[in-house]
Amino acid sequence: MNILILSAGTRNKIVQYFKKEMVGKGNVIATDMSALAPAIYEADKYYIVPRMTDDTYIDTILDICQKEKINGVLSLIDPELSFLAQNSDKFTAIGVEIIGSSYDLCEMSLDKMQMFEWLFQHNYKYAKSYMDKEMFYADVAEGKITYPVFVKPARGSASIAISKVYDKETIELLFEHNDGLMIQEFLDGQEIGADVYIDIISGEVVSVFTKKKLKMRAGETDKSVSFKDEKLFELITDFVKKAGYRGQIDIDIFDINGEYYISEVNPRFGGGYPHAYESGCNHMKLIVNNLLGNVNSNEVGRYEEGIYMMKYNEIMIQFDNSLSI
């Protein structure tokens, strides 16, 4: 059995964890559009592929799947999740399982306004969100929302182009120079990350790891500490089952005075997943077990509280004159 990891980038730990799990079972293949993506060198084999927007990209990936006898494929970047789901029939035709959610769910997760509307319709606590700044101004006047707020692209990731805004003048300036912006309520509370695995076969939530985020860097968790709350586990399980996610997802949640607000979902491995793995939540094992045709048992909350994660920098050296920037 072989696994293909697309757009590996700098996610070295994810590739390492899969390789460890695949010992004696098969190989881990990685791809990226750049030969300077360090994670590809952790894999058993790697391919440099075209940019995802290239017309030849899908055929290139399908060719790799057939050549390497791939059983399961996943991506580590948001835009590619929808792309994979959109082409699911092509992968199914050659016997490859996409480890991820449906196209509609990937699109909803990428589009923050769609996610807000879904949360609103299903009666979850959420951050108020607006595409129409005039509606926002009206709610400010009525006292339904107050400054500061976040102004961000409705479709985006990694906390790119997000501004914390304290007045109408700044909102006007941002909207004048950018398209596709939204205004989102500032949730002033403890930010929480949840690493969740939903069994691909049964559709059941089988693993949940929750951590309090202590420090962020470039949109990813830099320092965090594990904790448990049955109320939160129940909320996550209910939300995930109603939405219909599959495979690995990462959820951002806020604790506001003891009430949990769902913020965003990344239907992939999040940047803070190594905290979960090193605390005993081995989602690579769950993925491999599913690819072998086995349903996973419930492991929700099987980890210790008070385990801290602290990221630090590492380097990789490659002696190869053929590498290009």
Side-chain angles (χ1 to χ4, degrees), residues 191-225:
E191 189 172 0
I192 293 163
D195 299 286
V196 183
Y197 188 75
I198 307 97
D199 195 275
I200 294 173
I201 300 173
S202 69
E204 297 295 322
V205 176
V206 293
S207 180
V208 178
F209 175 86
T210 54
K211 55 187 178 286
K212 295 179 181 178
K213 299 184 180 184
L214 306 178
K215 185 178 180 181
M216 301 293 291
R217 178 171 57 170
E220 289 192 358
T221 307
D222 196 49
K223 303 182 194 308
S224 55
V225 59

Side-chain angles (χ1 to χ4, degrees), residues 146-212:
T146 60
Y147 292 99
V149 293
F150 283 119
V151 175
K152 59 177 74 173
R155 292 174 68 88
S157 60
S159 296
I160 296 171
I162 292 180
S163 301
K164 192 175 182 180
V165 176
Y166 294 82
D167 52 61
K168 180 177 180 179
E169 290 73 21
T170 305
I171 288 178
E172 288 293 326
L173 182 64
L174 289 169
F175 270 72
E176 182 180 349
H177 294 283
N178 299 276
D179 295 323
L181 292 181
M182 66 180 289
I183 301 167
Q184 192 170 65
E185 179 183 11
F186 170 60
L187 295 178
D188 189 11
Q190 172 64 58
E191 189 172 0
I192 293 163
D195 299 286
V196 183
Y197 188 75
I198 307 97
D199 195 275
I200 294 173
I201 300 173
S202 69
E204 297 295 322
V205 176
V206 293
S207 180
V208 178
F209 175 86
T210 54
K211 55 187 178 286
K212 295 179 181 178

Side-chain angles (χ1 to χ4, degrees), residues 168-321:
K168 180 177 180 179
E169 290 73 21
T170 305
I171 288 178
E172 288 293 326
L173 182 64
L174 289 169
F175 270 72
E176 182 180 349
H177 294 283
N178 299 276
D179 295 323
L181 292 181
M182 66 180 289
I183 301 167
Q184 192 170 65
E185 179 183 11
F186 170 60
L187 295 178
D188 189 11
Q190 172 64 58
E191 189 172 0
I192 293 163
D195 299 286
V196 183
Y197 188 75
I198 307 97
D199 195 275
I200 294 173
I201 300 173
S202 69
E204 297 295 322
V205 176
V206 293
S207 180
V208 178
F209 175 86
T210 54
K211 55 187 178 286
K212 295 179 181 178
K213 299 184 180 184
L214 306 178
K215 185 178 180 181
M216 301 293 291
R217 178 171 57 170
E220 289 192 358
T221 307
D222 196 49
K223 303 182 194 308
S224 55
V225 59
S226 64
F227 81 106
K228 298 181 184 182
D229 183 353
E230 288 300 326
K231 176 183 174 181
L232 181 55
F233 291 158
E234 290 172 7
L235 171 67
I236 290 169
T237 300
D238 179 71
F239 163 68
V240 167
K241 291 207 71 175
K242 282 182 180 175
Y245 286 100
R246 288 289 192 277
Q248 178 70 31
I249 69 170
D250 167 72
I251 310 175
D252 290 335
I253 301 163
F254 283 84
D255 180 352
I256 312 290
N257 299 321
E259 296 293 332
Y260 291 118
Y261 288 65
I262 297 173
S263 176
E264 297 180 10
V265 178
N266 300 306
R268 55 169 171 76
F269 282 100
Y273 170 73
H275 191 175
Y277 182 91
E278 300 294 346
S279 300
C281 296
N282 183 351
H283 292 184
M284 284 66 188
K285 176 190 71 176
L286 303 179
I287 288 172
V288 170
N289 203 36
N290 273 168
L291 292 177
L292 290 171
N294 303 317
V295 175
N296 291 295
S297 58
N298 192 315
E299 299 180 4
V300 171
R302 290 189 188 176
Y303 59 90
E304 297 297 321
E305 294 186 273
I307 300 174
Y308 286 82
M309 178 190 76
M310 297 156 276
K311 285 185 180 179
Y312 61 95
N313 293 331
E314 185 56 274
I315 66 167
M316 174 176 285
I317 301 294
Q318 291 287 326
F319 295 93
D320 188 344
N321 292 329

Side-chain angles (χ1 to χ4, degrees), residues 42-61:
E42 305 280 3
D44 294 297
K45 191 173 182 179
Y46 70 86
Y47 288 84
I48 306 301
V49 297
R51 187 179 294 273
M52 190 190 75
T53 53
D54 191 288
D55 291 340
T56 65
Y57 184 76
I58 185 63
D59 288 334
T60 300
I61 300 304

